[in-house]
Amino acid sequence: CVLPFLYSCPEPCVVVDFKSENARLTSAFRRKKFGHRQVLLDPFRVMTQTPDTLNVLDMIDENSPLAIDDCMALAKAMVVRPPEEKETHWSDSAEAILTAQISLAVRYGKREKGTRSLQDVAKFVSNPKLFDSSLVLMAESDAWGGMLSRLGGSIMYYADKEKNSV
């Protein structure tokens, strides 16, 4: 059902293809017949040794007045909340910390140096020394009308045990 569709449909398609069978069989044909550019997100390099990549932070415009809102939306998407959550403090705190760290990466990370990705966010969240230095940078920042400074300042109030638990 999938292969005949991919061989005949002239419209662009998004295909979830875990084993890369469909891409292997149809990508050259679709490129030649329909002129479609193939985008292969292949983190395990099943299909290609040079896969395309998707950096969600590149979709956030650091000059937008809504950048912090975009960072917050990404953080909310990353935090999995239990279905019957009774105590929201931990999930809310995780979202706040992720929002702040994502915002820091968006504002101060450099695309060309490869320091503006979720990998960088993970590096700062998982290293206590980097985390504390990031809070100092946030507190001194005037980015987005002082919003980044306020985010960092609010996280500085967490006690060490609480911060580590979050």
Side-chain angles (χ1 to χ4, degrees), residues 56-74:
V56 294
L57 299 192
D58 286 344
M59 297 177 189
I60 300 173
D61 177 7
E62 71 180 82
N63 298 312
S64 168
L66 301 176
I68 293 247
D69 294 328
D70 294 337
C71 295
M72 185 182 301
L74 179 56

Side-chain angles (χ1 to χ4, degrees), residues 19-94:
K19 295 190 281 182
S20 300
E21 293 170 336
N22 298 321
R24 203 178 328 268
L25 293 170
T26 65
S27 64
F29 174 83
R30 290 184 64 77
R31 188 179 306 110
K32 184 177 177 184
K33 172 91 175 177
F34 303 122
H36 292 167
R37 176 176 173 261
Q38 308 299 305
V39 177
L40 300 171
L41 301 177
D42 185 12
F44 302 110
R45 291 177 166 69
V46 173
M47 176 73 181
T48 178
Q49 290 304 305
T50 55
D52 294 292
T53 59
L54 174 66
N55 182 354
V56 294
L57 299 192
D58 286 344
M59 297 177 189
I60 300 173
D61 177 7
E62 71 180 82
N63 298 312
S64 168
L66 301 176
I68 293 247
D69 294 328
D70 294 337
C71 295
M72 185 182 301
L74 179 56
K76 284 181 179 292
M78 294 172 65
V79 174
V80 178
R81 291 180 177 264
E84 295 181 20
E85 186 176 36
K86 291 179 177 42
E87 176 54 54
T88 63
H89 169 74
W90 300 106
S91 296
D92 292 344
S93 297

Side-chain angles (χ1 to χ4, degrees), residues 124-160:
F124 277 84
V125 170
S126 64
N127 182 317
K129 288 183 182 180
L130 288 176
F131 186 83
D132 290 340
S133 66
S134 73
L135 294 178
V136 171
L137 177 58
M138 284 182 222
E140 296 171 354
S141 174
D142 63 352
W144 301 300
M147 285 297 298
L148 185 57
S149 176
R150 288 191 287 279
L151 277 172
S154 67
I155 294 167
M156 285 181 176
Y157 280 106
Y158 291 165
D160 284 338

Side-chain angles (χ1 to χ4, degrees), residues 1-17 21-27 29-31 33-34 36 38:
C1 162
V2 174
L3 288 175
F5 175 81
L6 291 174
Y7 279 121
S8 63
C9 178
E11 301 297 320
C13 300
V14 174
V15 180
V16 178
D17 185 13
E21 293 170 336
N22 298 321
R24 203 178 328 268
L25 293 170
T26 65
S27 64
F29 174 83
R30 290 184 64 77
R31 188 179 306 110
K33 172 91 175 177
F34 303 122
H36 292 167
Q38 308 299 305

